[in-house]
Amino acid sequence: MELHSDETIWYFFKKGESHGFSLLFKKYYPQLHVYGLKLSNSPEITEDCLQNFFIQLFESREKLGHINSLKAYLFVSFKRRLIKQLQKNQNNIPISEAQLIKTNFTFSSEEISINQEIQFLCTSTLASLINQLSPRQKEVIYLKYYSGMNSSDIAEVMDMNYQSVLNTLQKALSKLRKLSENQQIKSILKKN
């Protein structure tokens, strides 16, 4: 299992492990907070609702079953809770999801700029990791993912047999995973 994959986080969270809850909270609170602000347009309601959501989630964790996507589950559950809270604050007048999104959901140029900066950081990090691969591994990655070639074509271009291409690709991807995990661990240690 990946170090901080959603499956790992969910597993430890459901077992009641404090670091499972901490990872879940740190990973999804900011995203859900921004989403809630876009839906409600109210920092107070969003923060109260989100804190209550995480408390209720923690208290009922043993009853929660298997989920396919942690992120989707959290967003859907929080959205439902927030809509109920908004209706309650408006004397139980029903609020449709479409009405809520139509009136409150906007983007600022700052948000788009931040998203572009994050994408740039991810891209530069990936480039740095790829540059740590051997020349053959870099070439295989380039031909596969940047040129869109299949393994047979790569074998022909690199003058290798088909199985060697698959092995080189697998080794490259494994090394990228390992390098990525090491970088995540280093960044966590720097923060503490």
Side-chain angles (χ1 to χ4, degrees):
M1 268 194 246
E2 192 181 315
L3 187 59
H4 293 286
S5 71
D6 283 352
E7 294 83 15
T8 305
I9 292 170
W10 189 243
Y11 173 79
F12 287 115
F13 170 75
K14 283 185 62 177
K15 286 187 73 165
E17 303 273 341
S18 62
H19 70 278
F21 179 77
S22 177
L23 288 170
L24 181 74
F25 188 85
K26 286 177 184 174
K27 184 172 183 178
Y28 286 107
Y29 186 93
Q31 296 175 47
L32 291 169
H33 186 261
V34 170
Y35 185 60
L37 287 173
K38 290 199 171 299
L39 292 173
S40 73
N41 209 20
S42 168
E44 297 82 20
I45 293 173
T46 299
E47 288 165 13
D48 287 347
C49 191
L50 191 52
Q51 288 172 7
N52 290 334
F53 171 73
F54 272 101
I55 290 168
Q56 192 252 334
L57 189 67
F58 183 77
E59 289 173 348
S60 63
R61 72 188 179 282
E62 294 169 352
K63 299 174 195 165
L64 300 171
H66 172 75
I67 54 172
N68 293 324
S69 168
L70 177 58
K71 188 174 197 171
Y73 172 77
L74 293 174
F75 272 73
V76 168
S77 299
F78 175 61
K79 182 180 188 177
R80 288 181 184 148
R81 178 179 272 272
L82 184 60
I83 289 172
K84 283 181 185 175
Q85 185 61 48
L86 290 169
Q87 288 174 340
K88 186 177 174 183
N89 288 2
Q90 294 184 357
N91 300 322
N92 292 322
I93 298 171
I95 300 172
S96 76
E97 199 173 304
Q99 176 188 4
L100 192 63
I101 291 170
K102 184 178 178 182
T103 56
N104 296 327
F105 220 95
T106 58
F107 286 90
S108 70
S109 57
E110 184 179 283
E111 285 174 309
I112 292 170
S113 173
I114 290 170
N115 191 36
Q116 289 171 339
E117 190 172 322
I118 290 169
Q119 286 177 341
F120 171 75
L121 289 172
C122 290
T123 303
S124 63
T125 300
L126 181 59
S128 170
L129 295 175
I130 289 173
N131 284 328
Q132 294 179 49
L133 298 175
S134 73
R136 292 293 260 186
Q137 291 172 335
K138 284 190 264 190
E139 186 177 2
V140 137
I141 292 287
Y142 177 80
L143 294 173
K144 176 79 173 171
Y145 296 104
Y146 294 90
S147 296
M149 290 186 185
N150 64 34
S151 298
S152 299
D153 292 342
I154 295 171
E156 189 176 331
V157 169
M158 293 182 70
D159 194 27
M160 297 170 70
N161 70 43
Y162 181 80
Q163 188 60 47
S164 294
V165 169
L166 296 178
N167 292 346
T168 304
L169 185 59
Q170 183 59 42
K171 286 178 185 174
L173 294 174
S174 293
K175 187 170 182 181
L176 285 173
R177 261 187 236 104
K178 183 79 171 160
L179 290 168
S180 173
E181 288 173 3
N182 288 343
Q183 189 167 19
Q184 285 178 350
I185 291 169
K186 286 177 188 173
S187 69
I188 289 169
L189 293 174
K190 282 181 185 177
K191 290 177 185 177
N192 293 332

